[in-house]
Each structure stands twice: as structure tokens, then as C-alpha cells.
Amino acid sequence: AISQLCMASARYRAAANYARRVLKAEGYPTRAAGTVLLALARLEDQDGFFALAHQLEEQVGADTLENSPWYLLARTILLFKTNKMRPATRALREFANRCEGGAFFLLNPMYQTPCRPEPRDPWDLSHQAVWEADGIISDTPDFAPWANACEDVSQLAQEFARRYGF
């Protein structure tokens, strides 16, 4: 919760530090790794980002990491912010294709309660990840228009909206 407040108030280094502390706690599942990944992406800390991704890959498995909306979105943001546009576009498409509703929530931000409720719908995790990244996306004004200009992504967002009545 503290790390989410730090993210919302653009204190990304503090968010990463608090979330790293939560990661060290054992005995209950958290999504603190996603907070750290988003913060590192915003800080453009490529070494830290990919080191944590490698560590998480060993801990939770490559499949779990590769399907995490937080990882996929954070990687897209990191590549975009470091001006690696071809890989960023591939990462954006991967996020949009792998994360149910990811494209829709990225292009159509929607309010969510400050806590992370247990997912009920297939797209809840995508919504949570995009909501947590909202401050980063707002701090990067050319990110959303760039994502919207990616034809595949806007098409996936429209299909999701029709399917779920948004």
C-alpha cells in the first residue's frame, strides 16, 4: 500500500524500495514485484529492471513472468522511455495480445479502488497493472498517443470494449 502511494505521488525510488521490502517477506502472495518493475521502468534503470526480471524468472518461472501484465507493461514503458522504438512496439503488442483488456485499459484509463482486489474477471490484473502505472503514463505524455497509433493495439482495445460492453 505504501509503495502504491509512492507510485501515485511520483516517488518512484521510494516505491521501489518499499516494494522490495515486501518482496522479502515470506508467507503471503503479493504483486510487489510489479511495483518494482514499473518504478524501475520509469527511472529508466535498465540494469536493475532486467536483473530483477531474471531473478523473478528463476523464482516464479519464465511463463509466469512473461504473462504478468506488470512485467509486460513495465518492459514496454522502459523500452519506450529509452527510445528503443522497435522493441518497444513489439513489447506493446505483446502486452496487448497476452493481457486480456490490457490494450483497452491502457488507451481508456478507468478509476479503480486503491487496493488490489482479488481478480474476478480475466482482465482484472491488466486493469490493476495499468491503473498502477497511470502516474508513469501521465508523466510520459507521448506514450499514450504512441500506443494508440499502433493499429493492432487500438483494434484489440475496440474488440475488448465491444465484447464486455465498455
Side-chain angles (χ1 to χ4, degrees), residues 2-3 7-8 40 42 56 59 62 68 73 79 85 119 123 139 141 149-151 156-157 161:
I2 291 174
S3 59
M7 289 288 285
L40 292 173
R42 174 57 181 88
L56 293 169
Q59 291 173 348
S68 164
L73 179 58
L79 293 168
M85 299 315 289
W123 42 266
D139 274 357
C150 184
E151 203 171 301
L156 285 168

Side-chain angles (χ1 to χ4, degrees), residues 31 33-35 37-38 41 49 56 62-78 91-92 94-103 105-106 112 116 119 121-133 137 143:
R31 295 189 190 97
T35 301
L37 290 168
L38 286 170
F49 181 90
L56 293 169
D63 286 343
T64 301
L65 183 64
E66 288 292 327
N67 288 305
S68 164
W70 281 268
Y71 169 71
L72 294 168
L73 179 58
R75 186 178 66 179
T76 302
I77 291 168
L78 175 66
L92 174 64
E94 189 173 359
F95 168 74
N97 282 301
R98 285 186 177 214
C99 301
E100 176 82 21
F105 293 113
L106 181 61
Q112 183 175 17
R116 289 181 176 159
D121 294 307
W123 42 266
D124 277 342
L125 292 178
S126 299
H127 188 193
Q128 290 176 18
V130 172
W131 182 82
E132 188 171 345
I137 294 166
F143 182 79

Side-chain angles (χ1 to χ4, degrees), residues 15-94:
N17 290 336
Y18 282 117
R20 284 183 193 275
R21 288 183 194 162
V22 172
L23 278 175
K24 291 179 184 177
E26 295 181 17
Y28 64 97
T30 71
R31 295 189 190 97
T35 301
V36 179
L37 290 168
L38 286 170
L40 292 173
R42 174 57 181 88
L43 295 168
E44 300 177 33
D45 182 352
Q46 294 179 68
D47 293 338
F49 181 90
F50 289 111
L52 177 59
H54 181 71
Q55 176 188 341
L56 293 169
E57 194 173 73
E58 290 177 356
Q59 291 173 348
V60 300
D63 286 343
T64 301
L65 183 64
E66 288 292 327
N67 288 305
S68 164
W70 281 268
Y71 169 71
L72 294 168
L73 179 58
R75 186 178 66 179
T76 302
I77 291 168
L78 175 66
L79 293 168
F80 179 84
K81 289 192 71 50
T82 56
N83 206 29
K84 295 181 174 124
M85 299 315 289
R86 287 180 63 129
T89 301
R90 281 193 305 274
L92 174 64
R93 286 186 173 123
E94 189 173 359

